[in-house]
Amino acid sequence: MGSSGDAWKLKDHPKLPKGKTVAVIVLDGWGEAKPNEFNAIHVADTPVMDSLKEGAPEKWRLIKAHGYAVGLPTEDDMGNSEVGHNALGAGRIFAQGAKLVDLALASGKIYEGEGFKYVKECFEKGTLHLIGLLSDGGVHSRLDQVQLLLKGAAEHGAKRIRVHALTDGRDVLDGSSVGFMETLENDLAKLREQGVDARVASGGGRMYVTMDRYENDWDVIKRGWDAQVLGEAPHKFKDPVEAIKKLRQEPNANDQYLAPFVIVDDNGKSVGPILDGDAVVTFNFRADRMVMLAKALEYADFDKFDRVRVPKIHYAGMLQYDGELKLPSKYLVSPPEIDRTSGEYLVRNGVRTFACSETVKFGHVTFFWNGNRSGYFDEKLEEYVEIPSDSGITFNVKPKMKALEIAERTRDAILSGKFDQVRVNIPNGDMVGHTGDIKATIEACKVADLGVKMILEAIEQVGGIYVVTADHGNAEDMVKRNKMGEPALDKSGNIQILTSHTCEPVPIAIGGSGLAPGVRFRKDLPTGGLANVAATFMNLHGYEAPSDYEPTLIEVVDN
């Protein structure tokens, strides 16, 4: 596509008119699951979403928001907000996360990029430290990728390598950490035979060391920092396999909460603290549980805990973990290059656009929606509004978040007549769902529904059209489940709360007084997913989507 106007020209849809205001509403973390007491969406009072579902069956359906549908490597990979909004905005499926890493490793491209070259500058005199989750669960990292990276780093000149391994037991069976560590040790022994000084330097359980998220508990990061950077931990061992076996024997110990340990030499000195002139790579590809460590490693101005000593290092993530914060600034694998997004097409065809959310999801409805691209396509035709999120509290304290403020600003934008498309993200189901507080999540879903009501009423007033959907599941299932699908219990017999996303499908509903007669969801796209949504709303604006977009979910039948 050139930059000339003609290259961006969209064909008119033969049966759908132009000029209707279209509202695209994304309910974050709003999946569809069996009704039960742990389904916060089902329990909540949500008359608007209920009416969309029960109103007209040809105007409501489910779509996929996880796995292949959003470019993730397997059907077991739960969706997330970044890949979800990439797919919603791009209208096509781009390789994401682990898949990008697989491709970069297989092609050798990973070693040619800026990120690897940056860490390689330290190979001559310094140590390469690899920090991340030792697991084949495929949610945050994969053991085979770490094995390839170790081999590749040695082949590209790393003379001294230290691994800081976090044990899993959450995405894989508890106790599997011993086998993973044995595999790693075996690989490091082979490197030592080739003259590379390669060893495990520290370890600990993922939920107790390093892998906290959403700034929930900085002590978790500090325990990791002390072991990885300072070489200090309450437990010292000479052998990492022995370390895991021993620490697992402690009362109530498991892989997730394994105490931090360091590996020491015969003199009791840590074998691998991070020092000036070293290189550090965090090898997890999933972002949420690496952002806090990335801040501690990268930010000069940092006040979350006393770092004691801040080594001058070359640090890169496996991927960039936060596109908004540009964190880390260096990474081994670049995000997908997403071009020709629906947002850009519509603006180039004169569609005036309003986008709004609160801080925690503002980037999703702008930056990620627009293909990992900052800023406006055309300032004259676009307005992006960020409403500041509550700070200094967990979201279950104020589960209403800013849903009503987002809805009010969007209502005003619709009634102003200045915009042809408004798109919003209402974050409550996801952000409150992540806290694991079921009562608060029920309240969050209720207020999200009120937000939708306000926007739909405004759309009705201007004779417009709405598309209501979600980016992935979360609030619809708040408990971990065993293989039988029943709530899983912990050792004390308490139900285990689920705070993560899910692999459930999400709803999509269309309607509004501006919707042309005869528009309905097609029956021949049973596996439709988030990437099909862009072509759908482009049709509702009166345009055909570009030919390489995933097909539209709607058809127009002559009455």
Side-chain angles (χ1 to χ4, degrees):
M1 282 279 163
S3 57
S4 70
D6 286 354
W8 290 100
K9 191 97 186 86
L10 289 170
K11 285 190 193 137
D12 291 351
H13 191 286
K15 292 184 176 179
L16 291 171
K18 285 204 186 72
K20 300 287 182 188
T21 307
V22 179
V24 182
I25 303 168
V26 181
L27 290 167
D28 217 292
W30 193 284
E32 178 78 8
K34 288 186 183 127
N36 60 51
E37 64 192 294
F38 306 113
N39 179 336
I41 295 168
H42 164 70
V43 177
D45 182 20
T46 55
V48 178
M49 290 302 290
D50 294 348
S51 70
L52 298 185
K53 184 176 176 179
E54 290 148 14
E58 70 281 5
K59 308 254 171 76
W60 186 94
R61 64 163 288 177
L62 294 172
I63 51 176
K64 291 184 153 192
H66 77 288
Y68 304 140
V70 288
L72 294 167
T74 76
E75 282 298 271
D76 295 329
D77 292 320
M78 55 186 78
N80 64 55
S81 302
E82 290 78 22
V83 302
H85 285 78
N86 274 171
L88 285 165
R92 288 151 292 153
I93 299 166
F94 288 82
Q96 296 277 3
K99 209 169 179 179
L100 283 174
V101 177
D102 286 340
L103 295 169
L105 282 164
S107 64
K109 237 183 169 165
I110 196 167
Y111 306 111
E112 293 155 21
E114 269 179 55
F116 188 81
K117 284 178 181 161
Y118 179 64
V119 295
K120 191 180 171 180
E121 288 169 15
C122 304
F123 286 1
E124 190 58 42
K125 293 182 177 150
T127 301
L128 168 65
H129 298 265
L130 301 180
I131 305 175
L133 186 67
L134 199 61
S135 171
D136 65 3
V139 177
H140 293 271
S141 64
R142 277 212 332 266
L143 180 60
D144 60 327
Q145 292 180 348
V146 183
Q147 292 176 286
L148 286 169
L149 188 59
L150 278 165
K151 187 169 173 286
E155 285 166 2
H156 286 82
K159 299 187 174 79
R160 201 177 131 89
I161 300 173
R162 293 293 181 264
V163 181
H164 303 268
L166 305 166
T167 54
D168 189 354
R170 188 175 174 95
D171 302 322
V172 291
L173 285 174
D174 183 48
S176 56
S177 57
V178 176
F180 296 140
M181 187 60 88
E182 286 170 343
T183 303
L184 174 64
E185 276 287 85
N186 197 27
D187 282 27
L188 296 176
K190 285 182 190 151
L191 288 177
R192 288 197 293 272
E193 283 166 21
Q194 293 158 26
V196 179
D197 174 8
R199 301 188 61 173
V200 172
S202 77
R206 58 177 283 179
M207 299 304 288
Y208 193 62
V209 180
T210 298
M211 278 176 60
D212 188 50
R213 63 176 177 186
Y214 311 130
E215 308 222 352
N216 184 38
D217 184 357
W218 279 100
D219 285 346
V220 175
I221 314 302
K222 183 180 188 313
R223 283 189 280 270
W225 183 273
D226 290 350
Q228 296 146 7
V229 179
L230 307 179
E232 293 168 8
H235 301 277
K236 297 181 169 70
F237 293 91
K238 287 185 181 173
D239 174 82
V241 176
E242 179 67 17
I244 293 176
K245 286 179 176 171
K246 269 276 192 319
L247 291 173
R248 280 186 53 82
Q249 289 166 9
E250 303 266 319
N252 302 322
N254 59 31
D255 283 353
Q256 286 191 63
Y257 288 92
L258 213 62
F261 63 87
V262 292
I263 302 301
V264 296
D265 60 19
D266 290 340
N267 303 319
K269 260 186 76 175
S270 163
V271 301
I274 299 174
L275 304 169
D276 285 355
D278 286 353
V280 175
V281 170
T282 44
F283 59 72
N284 286 17
F285 46 72
R286 180 162 156 177
D288 57 355
R289 292 188 183 277
M290 280 288 117
V291 170
M292 292 167 74
L293 174 59
K295 287 179 178 175
L297 287 169
E298 187 140 310
Y299 286 175
D301 193 14
F302 180 88
D303 61 0
K304 304 301 182 185
F305 60 83
D306 180 4
R307 293 181 289 186
V308 183
R309 178 170 64 72
V310 185
K312 294 180 178 66
I313 56 168
H314 283 203
Y315 165 52
M318 182 67 98
L319 295 153
Q320 186 163 58
Y321 299 129
D322 192 319
E324 288 295 289
L325 296 175
K326 307 274 184 280
L327 188 76
S329 54
K330 300 276 197 272
Y331 38 90
L332 302 189
V333 180
S334 295
E337 287 171 22
I338 301 176
D339 60 346
R340 301 188 301 105
T341 60
S342 61
E344 184 160 14
Y345 267 111
L346 290 172
V347 168
R348 303 265 180 246
N349 285 272
V351 173
R352 301 164 304 166
T353 305
F354 173 87
C356 178
S357 189
E358 60 175 277
T359 308
V360 287
K361 298 291 178 180
F362 175 70
H364 294 83
V365 86
T366 55
F367 177 86
F368 292 106
W369 192 279
N370 291 334
N372 307 329
R373 180 188 182 282
S374 294
Y376 292 108
F377 295 112
D378 184 340
E379 277 184 49
K380 294 188 194 77
L381 296 177
E382 293 174 281
E383 186 182 338
Y384 298 165
V385 172
E386 175 184 352
I387 292 163
S389 290
D390 293 319
S391 62
I393 56 165
T394 51
F395 290 106
N396 56 327
V397 176
K398 287 190 182 171
K400 291 184 175 174
M401 298 181 63
K402 301 297 175 202
L404 300 181
E405 290 88 335
I406 294 166
E408 282 162 6
R409 291 297 291 268
T410 307
R411 174 197 66 198
D412 295 348
I414 293 166
L415 299 180
S416 74
K418 283 198 272 186
F419 301 101
D420 308 297
Q421 183 185 83
V422 298
R423 64 172 185 260
V424 300
N425 179 299
I426 300 180
N428 306 55
D430 190 48
M431 299 310 292
V432 185
H434 278 308
T435 68
D437 182 332
I438 297 180
K439 192 171 167 225
T441 307
I442 292 166
E443 175 70 18
C445 295
K446 178 181 174 178
V447 78
D449 192 74
L450 283 171
V452 175
K453 178 176 191 238
M454 207 183 291
I455 297 168
L456 298 195
E457 283 172 352
I459 279 292
E460 208 54 36
Q461 262 181 274
V462 300
I465 302 167
Y466 60 76
V467 179
V468 183
T469 189
D471 56 347
H472 55 75
N474 183 337
E476 78 287 353
D477 197 8
M478 300 286 293
V479 291
K480 294 182 183 171
R481 297 191 177 273
N482 61 23
K483 294 217 163 50
M484 310 290 288
E486 296 151 347
L489 306 177
D490 63 18
K491 287 173 183 166
S492 313
N494 301 313
I495 281 171
Q496 290 188 289
I497 296 295
L498 182 72
T499 57
S500 71
H501 298 165
T502 69
C503 290
E504 299 294 351
V506 299
I508 180 168
I510 50 169
S513 54
L515 190 66
V519 174
R520 65 177 189 193
F521 283 126
R522 297 162 56 173
K523 298 226 167 41
D524 59 350
L525 276 178
T527 58
L530 294 182
N532 300 83
V533 175
T536 308
F537 62 69
M538 289 169 104
N539 291 171
L540 298 175
H541 281 290
Y543 295 106
E544 291 277 13
S547 58
D548 63 339
Y549 269 42
E550 291 293 311
T552 179
L553 295 166
I554 56 173
E555 60 185 0
V556 188
V557 288
D558 298 319
N559 288 347

